[in-house]
């Protein structure tokens, strides 16, 4: 379940932020920066890139807070900005190959970086780090953030069946790797 659902922001804070109150902006950043970074970090494995995207997200939030119309939660609005920024980065010409189904070695570089990064801990993070960028993004958005396949398809400008098949492949790959690890332990 998305950690964005538990972030309380009062209408007063939002109104003050819309009016340009620096203290309200700081409160929003303090309340949301960790979940935004966590989300970006799960989609983009390099910490330096995730930190840069975090700053980009908050620049956009603070520039456009006046346009937030109150429909849906503010944290959900922030989450959608963070996801969009991360996916734009992954779709950029420099990272487009990471999103392809066929790996040309770049995925292995990304995965090795994530696997060796001290900030990634636990089984979920290690399993996600072994997936290609697109699969990792789809797994995180669907299984953790609660996006539907239709929403994911819109984000990637693909079909719903594409989202479903990528999720199934990612789950298969994780299971296959878990079985192989277990077999190695038994031998």
């Amino acid at each position: 379940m998305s950690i964005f659902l538990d972030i309380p922001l009062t209408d007063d804070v939002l109104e003050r932020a819309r009016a340009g109150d620096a203290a309200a902006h700081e409160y929003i950043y303090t309340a949301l920066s960790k979940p935004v970074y966590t989300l970006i970090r799960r989609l983009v494995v390099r910490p330096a890139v995730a930190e840069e995207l975090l700053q980009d997200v908050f620049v956009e939030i603070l520039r456009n807070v006046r346009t937030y119309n109150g429909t849906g939660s503010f944290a959900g609005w922030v989450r959608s900005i963070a996801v969009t920024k991360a996916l734009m980065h992954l779709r950029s010409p420099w990272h487009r190959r990471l999103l392809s189904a066929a790996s040309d070695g770049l995925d292995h570089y990304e995965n090795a970086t994530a696997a060796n990064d001290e900030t990634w801990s636990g089984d979920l993070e290690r399993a996600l780090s072994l997936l290609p960028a697109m699969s990792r993004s789809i797994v995180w958005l669907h299984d953790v953030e609660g996006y539907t396949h239709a929403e994911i398809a819109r984000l990637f400008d693909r079909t719903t069946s594409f989202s479903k098949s990528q999720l199934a492949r990612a789950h298969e790959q994780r299971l296959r790797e878990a079985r192989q690890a277990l077999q190695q332990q038994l031998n």
Side-chain angles (χ1 to χ4, degrees):
M1 176 169 284
S2 176
I3 55 178
F4 284 88
L5 300 176
D6 299 329
I7 300 172
L9 288 173
T10 64
D11 291 338
D12 176 58
V13 169
L14 294 176
E15 286 305 315
R16 290 186 2 241
R18 284 184 183 121
D21 181 352
H25 290 172
E26 182 178 347
Y27 181 84
I28 289 170
Y29 181 83
T30 301
L32 293 169
S33 61
K34 185 174 180 175
V36 167
Y37 178 77
T38 299
L39 171 59
I40 293 170
R41 187 72 171 76
R42 295 313 182 256
L43 302 177
V44 179
V45 297
R46 293 184 186 160
V49 173
E51 288 170 16
E52 185 177 315
L53 289 171
L54 173 71
Q55 299 309 313
D56 290 348
V57 166
F58 276 96
V59 166
E60 184 167 335
I61 290 166
L62 297 179
R63 280 186 183 158
N64 296 308
V65 69
R66 288 184 186 98
T67 66
Y68 170 68
N69 62 10
T71 304
S73 74
F74 182 74
W77 181 71
V78 169
R79 179 178 79 161
S80 69
I81 292 170
V83 167
T84 300
K85 289 278 186 191
L87 294 181
M88 283 174 47
H89 170 76
L90 292 173
R91 275 184 258 170
S92 71
W94 300 278
H95 297 92
R96 189 164 311 200
R97 289 181 289 176
L98 292 174
L99 295 177
S100 68
S103 174
D104 63 0
L106 290 177
D107 283 338
H108 298 294
Y109 173 78
E110 287 280 324
N111 295 339
T113 300
N116 293 326
D117 186 345
E118 293 177 1
T119 63
W120 282 60
S121 61
D123 293 337
L124 175 62
E125 287 84 1
R126 279 191 290 279
L128 285 171
S129 74
L130 297 174
L131 295 173
M134 180 181 290
S135 298
R136 181 179 56 248
S137 299
I138 291 172
V139 168
W140 188 266
L141 292 173
H142 184 272
D143 292 354
V144 179
E145 294 296 325
Y147 279 69
T148 66
H149 286 293
E151 291 169 326
I152 294 169
R154 279 192 298 276
L155 287 169
F156 282 91
D157 197 26
R158 301 286 184 102
T159 64
T160 301
S161 61
F162 169 80
S163 174
K164 289 178 181 179
S165 67
Q166 285 293 311
L167 185 65
R169 285 185 197 145
H171 285 217
E172 273 180 35
Q173 182 178 346
R174 287 192 334 204
L175 287 173
R176 186 173 38 251
E177 289 166 357
R179 279 194 308 260
Q180 288 171 348
L182 181 60
Q183 286 175 346
Q184 287 176 353
Q185 288 176 354
L186 294 175
N187 290 338

